[in-house]
Amino acid sequence: MGSSVMRRVSVRSLSSHKLRLLLTVFSVVLGTSFVAAALIFTSTVSQAFNSIFDSAARGVAVEVTAAESDAPGVPVELVDELRNKKDELGIDRLVENVGGPVTVADSSGKPIQTGGAPSVASAYLPPDRAIGDSANTIVDGRAPAHADEILINNDAAEKAGLHVGSTTTVVLGTGVSDPLQVTVVGLTDMPTSTGGFVGIAFDEETANQYFSDGEYVSVVDMSAKPGVSDTQLRDAVHAALGDAKTVDDLYKVRTGDQVREDQKAQVGEFLTIIQAVFLAFAAIGLLVGTFIIYNTFSMIVAQRNKELALLRAIGASRKDVSRSVLLEASIVGVIGGLVGLGLGIGIAAALLAFTESQGLPSNGIQIGATAVIAALLVGVVVTMLSAWIPARRASRIPPVEAMRASTVEPGAGSLRKRTLAAAIVGVLGVLALVVGGLGEGTGPALIVGLGALLAVIAVVLGAPALSQPIVGGFGAVFAKPFGTVGRLARTNAVRNPRRSAATAFALTLGLMLVVVIGTIGTSFKGTVNDAVDKGVTADFIMSSTNNGPLPIGIADTVREKVPDAGVVISQAVATAKLDDKPFWMTAALGGSLNDVAVVKTEQGSLDVPGDGLAVDESTARDQGFALGDKVSLTALTGDVVPVTITGIYEDSEVIGPRIVGADAYRKLVPVETMRQAVPIWVKGKPGTDVDELRSQIEDVTKQYLVVQIQDREEFKNSVSSTVDQMLVTLYALLALSLAIAVLGIVNTLALSVVERKKEIGMLRAVGMARSQVRRSIYLESTYIAVFGALLGVVLGLAIAIPLVRTLAYWGLDAVVIPWTLIGGTLVGAAVVGVIAALWPAVTAARTRPLEAIVES
């Protein structure tokens, strides 16, 4: 039979079953929409940032900075050497600058919220000395001339309600000064000012006083003399700074183009993570959709047995029949891809509107060819693959089938081989999960991941065999209250176990992920709560409201001005290198951590001497440390600081993995980069009223703008709240798979009703009421949904429990199972079953007995 004839048959088949077409298309739409949204959103934001960064460091030929962000900067003596060799190296103009993080108050006295963007201060350089972007254009007012005057970027000033003449408060993130009362004397236009960025500038003398000890500068910019390329100048400066390896360890020597590309790359890394998250959930949606599309085409083929057999009888070959089914699938894929693209554009637009409200830049939505092609390609490929097996089955329908009235699905016979394969794969999966769960760290976690994959495959293969006893059990339970209707629903649900299993798998996968993520989240919260309950004896924990470091002067202020404060200990972060790898520690300044925390010491003492280092058991094991070992730490300045292992303690979420002595800390961290880490621990004197102590602390720290004071319960709740926010976001994305699951059940039941139209008509003819028909469909849907949910819960727990045990290496103490969440999911599955059955049940109840019976 001609291919053109078969194409017309396929198109007419789709057009004559518009509802079936619509339901099948929706199985493709949601997954493809997330693919399109991910590509459009990340492309739009990336282009917006790129257009901004293209103007960064304009006019700068070479820039020299410290290799690490926490390093003090470039030594002044090296800058002087470069200045003395300007002519020799080809430098036209050389400019150095200093700066650091700050917090600025708005017109109401509250800190300006940056939305995660930097808030930094620098020195103002006049145009005759500046290079490129360091010459910020003053759009209103004048340059700062005194210590109590600042410039601020126009965008931040507008957001904060500040203007020329406004007075405000500035809190330095580094240094030891108290909050500064300053006057805004000028507004600047910064080309690279994006989102919530806050940039202020002091006069040079004041900036050097606050952000430098006179030995280092933050940035050195250079322009090149005529005839000297940026690359030539970079190489010359690099060679002038000293030994190549030492220079690369301590400094970044980059051309202006490299600076711009690095800034773009940083944004690109962030956007890549966002894109990966979107695409991961798109993959989940597409995977679930694959089963639904497979189910749908299997049922379509079953319902078209007579039609396809007649085509074979009048000359259509097997290839003609299979191509006809695949053509229908490709049409569905194209339509689903186009609709998904449109929905993806809407999702991306909504995300962009939200990010713009948070201060991120946007130059308007960018719909590139990549997003269009990806949406269509994914839609077509997923649909074609899902329909491939049903298409093969359709091609095997013999012409004699045209004489039968049956609509039995091809291949719906014995499940023995499939179940045997499921058992073998399942045993291997269980072994991997058990073996992985007995260990800790990356290796065991990967074994658990392999076990999870095998377990999912085993469930896919074995679910049809499991559906009969499990769904049959539901039917036995509900047969008594619902009588004949309950038994009929049970019969319909187990009639085709392959179909029931494929329909239920959508819920299985979604709820498996919910249980895994929920278990990890509750286990983390349980670990934190247990650690705080057992390990913290301080009355209050002081931290920053913006998750950044607290100014170094706060602990001293509390220590000196709060009369009821007995112990005030701050943990300050020190970053160094050990064997050329990053090695971070904290220093307990102001006392011993034993005074505010309970930590079991295995060897030595937690009272760390000035040149000592105490580590937890995990660090000791990983680094091979033993009590008394001498360790050489390399500061970010290149100086070597020797320390001695003076204590090994039990892993503690409260105090962290490594505590360095105060003397070693001061050698590792220059004063201009010293910052307080969170937390600062405060414990009242014996007999102190804690409410009065809190009031005293609030009075002396409110000037610092960003200080939050929490007791133990508040601290636990804040951690739990953060985890809950992350979980809600993940659950919202997982709702995608659950939405597809509902559509899948609707689709299956709707097609099942069409398939059983004669049967339903006969039941109506012998006296079954419409309400009973609806009830039987509700129960059938509920059986399938609860079956899928049970599999998801069991599979999720089987994966989550060993996975959390492997995470003990990173601090998770014990598995905490979210029973409330699990109970809610099972109840929710029953509700989903009823909701999904509403429309098919109404359709079935409206079946007219005589029409259904006489229909051929």
Side-chain angles (χ1 to χ4, degrees), residues 712-788:
R712 289 188 288 272
E713 286 302 316
E714 290 169 335
F715 180 73
K716 289 192 297 185
N717 291 338
S718 69
V719 174
S720 296
S721 176
T722 301
V723 174
D724 288 338
Q725 289 174 5
M726 295 173 61
L727 292 179
V728 166
T729 302
L730 292 173
Y731 292 153
L733 291 170
L734 286 174
L736 165 68
S737 62
L738 299 181
I740 298 176
V742 173
L743 287 174
I745 296 174
V746 172
N747 201 0
T748 300
L749 289 176
L751 291 172
S752 180
V753 166
V754 174
E755 182 183 72
R756 304 200 309 255
K757 189 173 182 179
K758 284 184 125 180
E759 175 187 321
I760 294 170
M762 289 290 294
L763 292 171
R764 292 279 288 115
V766 298
M768 177 176 270
R770 287 186 173 183
S771 60
Q772 290 177 310
V773 174
R774 288 195 298 268
R775 198 175 304 131
S776 70
I777 302 296
Y778 295 153
L779 288 174
E780 180 183 349
S781 177
T782 302
Y783 293 160
I784 294 172
V786 174
F787 168 65

Side-chain angles (χ1 to χ4, degrees), residues 520-536 541 652-655 681 710-723 810-814 816:
I520 293 174
T522 53
S523 297
F524 179 78
K525 290 193 291 185
T527 296
V528 172
N529 291 345
D530 188 62
V532 173
D533 288 336
K534 295 180 179 178
V536 177
I541 302 102
S652 171
E653 293 298 312
V654 173
I655 67 170
W681 310 93
Q710 298 173 312
D711 60 24
R712 289 188 288 272
E713 286 302 316
E714 290 169 335
F715 180 73
K716 289 192 297 185
N717 291 338
S718 69
V719 174
S720 296
S721 176
T722 301
V723 174
W810 291 282
L812 282 185
D813 283 344
V816 180

Side-chain angles (χ1 to χ4, degrees), residues 82 129 228 357 371 611 613 642 847:
L82 293 176
R129 292 185 50 216
V228 179
S357 70
D611 61 350
L613 176 67
T847 301

Side-chain angles (χ1 to χ4, degrees), residues 48-49 51-57 112 114 117-120 133 136-137 152-159 187-200 263 359-363:
F49 273 106
S51 65
I52 292 169
F53 290 142
D54 281 338
S55 63
I112 300 175
T114 67
S119 179
V120 297
D133 289 335
N136 294 316
T137 304
I152 186 170
N153 61 306
N154 198 36
D155 293 340
E158 183 177 347
K159 178 180 178 181
L187 304 179
T188 64
D189 180 20
M190 295 183 178
T192 56
S193 175
T194 64
F197 173 80
V198 177
I200 68 171
Q263 290 176 336
L360 285 178
S362 173
N363 293 335

Side-chain angles (χ1 to χ4, degrees), residues 99-362:
V102 292
T103 300
V104 183
D106 61 19
S107 58
S108 65
K110 296 180 180 179
I112 300 175
Q113 299 301 314
T114 67
S119 179
V120 297
S122 61
Y124 172 74
L125 299 176
D128 62 339
R129 292 185 50 216
I131 300 175
D133 289 335
S134 58
N136 294 316
T137 304
I138 298 178
V139 296
D140 190 14
R142 60 174 175 81
H146 303 93
D148 60 350
E149 296 178 345
I150 63 167
L151 289 173
I152 186 170
N153 61 306
N154 198 36
D155 293 340
E158 183 177 347
K159 178 180 178 181
L162 301 176
H163 52 81
V164 174
S166 296
T167 58
T168 187
T169 301
V170 173
V171 178
L172 305 182
T174 59
V176 295
S177 68
D178 288 332
L180 310 172
Q181 300 303 313
V182 298
T183 300
V184 176
V185 297
L187 304 179
T188 64
D189 180 20
M190 295 183 178
T192 56
S193 175
T194 64
F197 173 80
V198 177
I200 68 171
F202 295 96
D203 66 274
E204 279 190 272
E205 182 181 349
T206 302
N208 282 316
Q209 175 187 342
Y210 291 145
F211 300 109
S212 174
D213 59 358
E215 296 183 5
Y216 295 90
V217 296
S218 303
V219 179
V220 181
D221 286 333
M222 288 161 274
S223 60
K225 286 188 173 184
V228 179
S229 70
D230 294 356
T231 303
Q232 288 173 329
L233 181 57
R234 179 200 61 193
D235 294 342
V237 169
H238 190 283
L241 290 176
D243 175 74
K245 184 179 186 307
T246 302
V247 171
D248 290 336
D249 286 342
L250 297 178
Y251 312 113
K252 290 180 180 178
V253 183
R254 300 174 291 175
T255 65
D257 287 338
Q258 288 176 319
V259 171
R260 287 186 286 275
E261 290 304 315
D262 288 348
Q263 290 176 336
K264 292 178 184 178
Q266 289 177 355
V267 174
E269 290 177 4
F270 169 70
L271 293 176
T272 298
I273 294 172
I274 294 178
Q275 189 177 72
V277 171
F278 270 87
L279 293 179
F281 284 98
I284 293 170
L286 290 170
L287 178 60
V288 174
T290 297
F291 280 85
I292 294 173
I293 298 167
Y294 164 79
N295 219 19
T296 300
F297 274 93
S298 294
M299 295 178 71
I300 290 172
V301 168
Q303 292 171 15
R304 294 174 58 197
N305 273 358
K306 292 178 68 176
E307 174 191 332
L308 297 174
L310 280 170
L311 289 172
R312 290 291 312 284
I314 62 175
S317 66
R318 286 190 173 186
K319 287 184 178 180
D320 289 334
V321 172
S322 61
R323 287 171 181 170
S324 173
V325 175
L326 289 175
L327 177 60
E328 292 183 32
S330 66
I331 294 172
V332 168
V334 170
I335 296 173
L338 288 172
V339 177
L341 174 63
L343 183 58
I345 293 171
I347 294 172
L351 286 171
L352 287 168
F354 172 75
T355 54
E356 284 179 16
S357 70
Q358 300 301 305
L360 285 178
S362 173

